[in-house]
Amino acid sequence: MAIQTVATQPFDDQKPGTSGLRKRVSRFQQPHYLENFVQSILDVGEGLRGGTLVLGGDGRYYNQTAIQTILRMAAAHGVGRVLVGRDGLLSTPAVSAVIREHGAAGGIVLSASHNPGGPDGDFGIKFNTANGGPAPEAVTDAIYQRSREIAEYRIADTADIDLTREGTTELEGMPVEVIDPVADYAALMERLFDMDAIAAMIADGFRLRFDAMHAITGPYARRLLEERLGAPAGSVVNAEPLPDFGGGHPDPNLVHARELVALMNGPDAPDLGAASDGDGDRNMILGPRFFVTPSDSLAFLAANATCAPGYAGGIRGIARSMPTSAAADRVAEALGVPCYETPTGWKFFGNLLDAGRVTLCGEESFGTGSGHVREKDGLWAVLFWLNILAVRGRGVGDLVRDHWQRFGRNVYSRYDYEGVDAEAAGRMVEGLRQRLAELPGQSFNGLTVSAADDFAYTDPVDGSRTEHQGLRVFFEGGERLVFRLSGTGTEGATLRVYLEAFEGNPERQARPTAELLAPLTAAAEALAGIRSHTGRAEPDVIT
Ligand code: VG1
Ligand code: CO
């Protein structure tokens, strides 16, 4: 047997964050770094020995090297078989779909998602369990513990496997099946949406633009939007996955999806604009001169879910991450279904979905999804929107404005201060945490605090407890501020400030977000002293 046992020493920084382990490529390239973490996953993941492992990534730099290493280690570990996407590609939602469709014990996704790629960019590894979802905290904690004590790993000493062609090869007795990365996912979408109605709308002249940002969703969007639904060639742009995402930042927001935003704000805007991120789980939805906030998108999909065949029977409930606006809560209340508030990160939705308590989930960070997989799903959200537009026959902006009239508008913005000094950011958040108890009754820029806390969550299904998930400050007028530090960055700290106010007056609802939030923005500065702590006058990204 060509299995080698290699002596190694633990690294002390292999603690997974909000979504997997993310580091600079150069860190992953250090001898044994990748192998240590992969061995820790293999040791902790249940049912992998003798079971099926799904493997793929977003095509970023180091994807190809890492895939070959993981295949060799899986063989050495005694994994039963590996399903790997052709060319080593699989989007995050596709990994989830394949795990579920093929009864796999788990999956490994190679991606740092919305973080930039390339030799000087970031790389990442996520582990998903048998339900298709991100490993819950108990599992990621166990992986981290394992990484702290690892002394050796095992790897097959074999040549690279050809991943360019579909079919099965053996690696030290372990079958490696190279699969079409799109097929299972596309079949799932066919079951959920009225593709013929969408195709008819497109044939009728409805125009769309999908920006894949040179990341993983290109092949999926081409297959579904252009080939299946008949959108003209060129409707999907930047469709070729590139190792460095063409030098861009594969984050579908108003700053990084610049070209798309300019098109949608211009005179010849198509009817729908959309973009997705590095690994295909995020989505941004735009109408002509209209940006749909992800929080509103979740609420809108919930209110209109029965338009799509896959949700014709209605939804069981909604879950949203804490920083996400309460727009979805209003819809849940109107529908008479529960709405859960979870910590940031998709891993907290898995139990609620598995228990059948919710159908739709969402985050303010351009993430929406449902029980069809256990991940957020960018292209799914776009198809859902298209299905609703096909049924309702009106424009994006009109429909959202109608939604606000009916439910009121949760005016919302997120400010990101990226790459700030980690100690300064930590001091700011810690200082605020110390003051939480004394805030109620105090006023900032004329807004009086009604309550403040450090968000903690007890999972209603398994009782697990998660603490310190963001500082919440509520005001008497219904406004809310949230402060938290990102768990996905790799350089310094990213401070996120989430601002939310409620506007029930239809006359004022269409006013610009920044104008409606101006008093709260000033209150945030007065309360937290963001400028003096971070040295930043303005955030890097406003969503
Ligand atoms: C961010 C988002 C969070 C999302 C996570 C992973 O985390 O805020 O909502 O689940 O990224 O998304 P953080 O800790 O940086 O705020 V993805 O598409 O980058 O895997
Ligand atoms: Co992502």
Side-chain angles (χ1 to χ4, degrees), residues 18-19 22 113-114 126 277 279 281-282 344-345 363-365 376 414 484 486-488 496:
T18 309
S19 174
R22 298 184 194 188
S113 190
H114 59 283
K126 307 190 274 186
D277 71 331
D279 61 331
D281 55 0
R282 297 185 176 202
T344 295
E363 295 192 283
E364 63 15 83
S365 53
K376 54 189 188 279
R414 181 175 105 175
R484 66 178 278 282
S486 157
T488 57
R496 305 203 196 283

Side-chain angles (χ1 to χ4, degrees), residues 383-429:
L383 292 168
F384 209 158
W385 268 91
L386 287 169
N387 197 151
I388 293 168
L389 293 171
V391 170
R392 299 205 47 190
R394 299 181 48 212
V396 171
D398 272 1
L399 288 173
V400 175
R401 278 187 287 265
D402 276 8
H403 182 96
W404 291 342
Q405 293 226 331
R406 181 163 164 219
F407 296 99
R409 177 179 177 196
N410 286 73
V411 188
Y412 191 84
S413 228
R414 181 175 105 175
Y415 286 14
D416 295 329
Y417 302 81
E418 295 172 352
V420 299
D421 179 67
E423 269 177 40
R427 263 198 308 278
M428 189 199 117
V429 171

